[in-house]
Amino acid sequence: MTQAPANILHLNLPVTDLEKSLGFYINGLGFRYVQHLREGKVILDFDGFNFFLEVSDRSLSHDRFHFGIKTTTEGVYEWARKIAEKGIPQVVGNQPTGRAEIYTTPDGVRTVLYMADPDGHIIEVYSHIGVDTGFVRAGYGAAV
């Protein structure tokens, strides 16, 4: 059986204050407003990716939940300047320094920064996944 073409093209993020979140994503990060689907649910666009914000009375986020924006090394520094100009602070993410700062791996391959939206959802801006961390577990990706 042939699988039909498919793409992952949206993320639905729970938010507690829609107007505050719209301000953050549109004015702070440059996402583009597309439309309201209904009261309390909005579609934004970021470079062809649909980003849904939906009002919820509770956050469904896990402390390791985050989403990433991939760019170049210079792009990470551009994002740092952009968010600083907008008054958006960097936060501590997975960088081993434990500090809210731009981090580059010792091999120079990966550069990353983290910030948080109004509900505390972590946003990672990174230049590369990197090769100096992680491992491949035998059997992953093997046919079953």
Coordinates of all heavy atoms in Angstrom, one line a residue, residues 76-77 90 94-97 99 101-106 110-114 132:
V76 N 20.6 33.0 14.9 CA 20.4 32.9 16.4 C 20.7 34.3 17.0 O 19.9 34.8 17.8 CB 21.2 31.8 17.0 CG1 21.0 31.9 18.6 CG2 20.7 30.4 16.5
Y77 N 21.8 34.9 16.5 CA 22.2 36.2 17.1 C 21.2 37.3 16.6 O 20.9 38.2 17.4 CB 23.6 36.5 16.7 CG 24.6 35.7 17.5 CD1 25.1 34.5 17.0 CD2 25.1 36.2 18.7 CE1 26.0 33.7 17.7 CE2 26.0 35.4 19.5 CZ 26.4 34.2 19.0 OH 27.3 33.4 19.7
Q90 N 15.7 36.3 27.4 CA 16.1 34.9 27.2 C 15.8 34.1 28.5 O 15.9 34.7 29.6 CB 17.5 34.7 26.8 CG 17.8 35.3 25.4 CD 19.2 35.0 25.0 OE1 19.8 34.0 25.2 NE2 19.9 36.1 24.4
N94 N 18.0 24.1 27.6 CA 18.8 22.9 27.8 C 20.3 23.2 27.7 O 21.1 22.3 27.8 CB 18.5 21.9 26.6 CG 17.1 21.3 26.8 OD1 16.6 21.2 27.9 ND2 16.5 21.0 25.7
Q95 N 20.7 24.5 27.7 CA 22.1 24.8 27.7 C 22.8 24.3 29.0 O 22.2 24.6 30.1 CB 22.5 26.2 27.4 CG 21.9 27.3 28.3 CD 20.5 27.8 27.9 OE1 19.6 27.0 28.1 NE2 20.4 29.1 27.6
P96 N 23.9 23.7 29.0 CA 24.5 23.1 30.2 C 25.1 24.2 31.2 O 25.4 23.9 32.3 CB 25.7 22.2 29.7 CG 26.0 22.8 28.3 CD 24.7 23.3 27.8
T97 N 25.1 25.4 30.8 CA 25.6 26.5 31.6 C 24.6 26.8 32.7 O 25.0 27.4 33.8 CB 25.9 27.8 30.8 OG1 24.7 28.2 30.2 CG2 27.0 27.5 29.8
R99 N 22.5 29.1 32.5 CA 22.2 30.5 32.4 C 21.4 30.8 31.2 O 21.5 30.2 30.1 CB 23.6 31.3 32.3 CG 24.4 31.1 33.6 CD 25.6 32.0 33.6 NE 26.5 31.9 32.5 CZ 27.6 31.1 32.5 NH1 27.9 30.4 33.6 NH2 28.4 31.0 31.4
E101 N 21.2 32.5 28.2 CA 22.2 33.1 27.3 C 22.3 32.3 26.0 O 21.8 31.2 26.0 CB 23.6 33.1 28.0 CG 24.1 31.7 28.2 CD 25.4 31.6 29.0 OE1 26.0 32.7 29.3 OE2 26.0 30.5 29.2
I102 N 22.9 32.9 25.0 CA 23.2 32.2 23.8 C 24.3 31.2 24.2 O 25.2 31.5 24.8 CB 23.6 33.1 22.7 CG1 22.5 34.1 22.3 CG2 24.2 32.3 21.5 CD1 22.9 35.1 21.2
Y103 N 24.1 30.0 23.7 CA 25.0 28.9 24.0 C 25.5 28.3 22.7 O 24.7 28.0 21.8 CB 24.4 27.8 24.9 CG 25.4 26.7 25.1 CD1 26.5 26.8 26.0 CD2 25.2 25.5 24.4 CE1 27.4 25.7 26.1 CE2 26.0 24.4 24.6 CZ 27.1 24.5 25.4 OH 28.0 23.5 25.6
T104 N 26.8 28.1 22.5 CA 27.4 27.4 21.4 C 28.1 26.2 22.0 O 28.9 26.3 22.9 CB 28.3 28.3 20.6 OG1 27.6 29.4 20.1 CG2 28.9 27.5 19.4
T105 N 27.9 25.0 21.4 CA 28.5 23.8 21.8 C 30.0 23.9 21.6 O 30.5 24.7 20.8 CB 28.0 22.6 21.0 OG1 28.2 22.8 19.6 CG2 26.5 22.3 21.3
P106 N 30.8 23.2 22.4 CA 32.3 23.2 22.3 C 32.8 23.0 20.9 O 33.8 23.5 20.5 CB 32.7 22.2 23.3 CG 31.6 22.1 24.3 CD 30.4 22.3 23.5
R110 N 26.5 23.8 17.1 CA 25.2 24.2 17.5 C 25.2 25.5 18.3 O 25.9 25.6 19.3 CB 24.5 23.1 18.3 CG 23.2 23.4 18.9 CD 22.6 22.1 19.6 NE 21.5 22.3 20.4 CZ 20.2 22.5 20.0 NH1 20.0 22.5 18.7 NH2 19.3 22.7 20.9
T111 N 24.3 26.4 17.9 CA 24.2 27.7 18.7 C 22.7 27.8 19.0 O 21.8 27.5 18.1 CB 24.7 28.9 17.9 OG1 26.0 28.7 17.6 CG2 24.5 30.2 18.7
V112 N 22.3 28.2 20.2 CA 20.9 28.1 20.6 C 20.6 29.2 21.6 O 21.5 29.6 22.4 CB 20.6 26.7 21.2 CG1 21.5 26.4 22.5 CG2 19.2 26.5 21.5
L113 N 19.4 29.6 21.6 CA 18.9 30.5 22.7 C 17.4 30.0 23.0 O 16.8 29.3 22.2 CB 18.9 32.0 22.3 CG 18.0 32.5 21.2 CD1 16.5 32.7 21.7 CD2 18.5 33.8 20.7
Y114 N 16.9 30.4 24.2 CA 15.6 30.0 24.6 C 14.9 31.3 25.1 O 15.5 32.2 25.7 CB 15.6 29.0 25.7 CG 16.3 27.7 25.3 CD1 17.6 27.5 25.4 CD2 15.5 26.7 24.8 CE1 18.2 26.3 25.0 CE2 16.1 25.4 24.4 CZ 17.5 25.3 24.5 OH 18.0 24.1 24.2
D132 N 27.4 16.5 19.0 CA 28.2 16.2 20.2 C 27.3 15.7 21.3 O 27.8 15.4 22.4 CB 29.1 17.4 20.6 CG 28.2 18.5 21.1 OD1 27.0 18.6 20.8 OD2 28.8 19.4 21.8

